[in-house]
Amino acid sequence: MKGKMDMKSRMTDPRTYLIRMGIILAITAAIIALLWSQLASAFAGNIALNSVIVATALIGVAFIFRQTLRLVPETKWLAQIQKTNRINPTAPRPVLLATVYAMLSDASDDRHLSALSLRSVLDGVAARLDEGREISRYFIGLLVFLGLLGTFWGLLQTIGSVSAVVSGLDISSLDFEQMMQQLRTGLEAPLDGMATAFSSSLFGLSASLVIGFLDLQLGQAMGRFFNE
């Protein structure tokens, strides 16, 4: 019975979720390597916007890893309290659990908290954890927005270019070969617009999918940390 209780109270290491994140990033890197030539061609459709999308995705990945790593010292601090049943004054103070540290420091020697104090502590911890999730969710929405922005941008370019091609055709000319050459040359601009539209959607939505999975792992790590 005692062994079961000890196992039940043991804190989960947040780095377990980092392993899952690393696996999905490795799979993503493998897919990129296999489709490198096609992706490089799509990336060239709009280098400026696609660079912004890739940079945003990398920042989002770094932020989610940072938020997960922030749980590691907090978990160790709680595990130390569970083990020794007291606060070590020489240990680094927690950041996310600052309210917990303050309440336990001000509590009596037996470290008991009232129900109201416990509720206040849990609300403070939940608010700090939610702040990190809100930013990671913003990155997901931002990537979708950038992908859609490129889509509409490319479609506007396509519509304008098609209009220019149609209005520029000389239908009175009897030289059919010259007319087809003129049409072929004029269609290059609409095709560039379509490349912008589809490439930005490809990178934006794919990046949001990866960030969404990483955010899911972050949410699970924070949820487990909060419950424990």
Side-chain angles (χ1 to χ4, degrees), residues 14-217:
R15 285 172 290 192
T16 303
Y17 297 92
L18 291 176
I19 297 176
R20 300 179 186 177
M21 296 181 188
I23 292 174
I24 191 62
L25 290 181
I27 295 175
T28 303
I31 294 175
I32 293 174
L34 291 174
L35 304 176
W36 178 255
S37 58
Q38 295 91 328
L39 292 177
S41 177
F43 187 84
N46 191 326
I47 297 178
L49 182 58
N50 291 333
S51 297
V52 173
I53 293 175
V54 172
T56 302
L58 293 177
I59 294 173
V61 170
F63 176 81
I64 292 176
F65 268 82
R66 175 180 176 273
Q67 290 298 108
T68 307
L69 287 172
R70 288 182 67 188
L71 299 176
V72 175
E74 312 285 324
T75 302
K76 291 182 178 180
W77 182 78
L78 277 178
Q80 184 65 24
I81 290 182
Q82 287 182 338
K83 183 178 180 180
T84 62
N85 200 28
R86 66 183 183 87
I87 297 178
N88 185 3
T90 60
R93 294 189 178 186
V95 178
L96 296 175
L97 299 177
T99 54
V100 178
Y101 180 88
M103 295 296 292
L104 291 179
S105 298
D106 295 338
S108 57
D109 292 337
D110 56 3
R111 298 293 188 264
H112 287 315
L113 298 177
S114 65
L116 182 61
S117 299
L118 182 60
R119 183 72 263 172
S120 176
V121 167
L122 291 177
D123 288 343
V125 173
R128 286 176 175 267
L129 294 177
D130 287 340
E131 289 177 1
R133 289 296 306 281
E134 289 175 359
I135 297 177
S136 62
R137 290 167 185 163
Y138 174 78
F139 276 107
I140 298 174
L142 179 60
L143 288 169
V144 174
F145 166 76
L146 290 174
L148 293 177
L149 176 64
T151 299
F152 291 116
W153 182 5
L155 291 177
L156 287 175
Q157 288 180 339
T158 301
I159 293 173
S161 300
V162 169
S163 177
V165 171
V166 173
S167 61
L169 284 177
D170 185 10
I171 58 176
S172 62
S173 176
L174 298 178
D175 190 349
F176 181 77
E177 183 177 352
Q178 180 181 359
M179 185 184 301
M180 291 302 297
Q181 182 64 31
Q182 183 182 3
L183 179 62
R184 181 180 179 182
T185 304
L187 286 177
E188 292 181 358
L191 292 177
D192 289 340
M194 294 301 294
T196 297
F198 289 116
S199 66
S200 61
S201 297
L202 171 66
F203 288 105
L205 296 179
S206 299
S208 67
L209 179 65
V210 175
I211 297 296
F213 180 85
L214 298 182
D215 177 70
L216 177 63
Q217 298 304 312

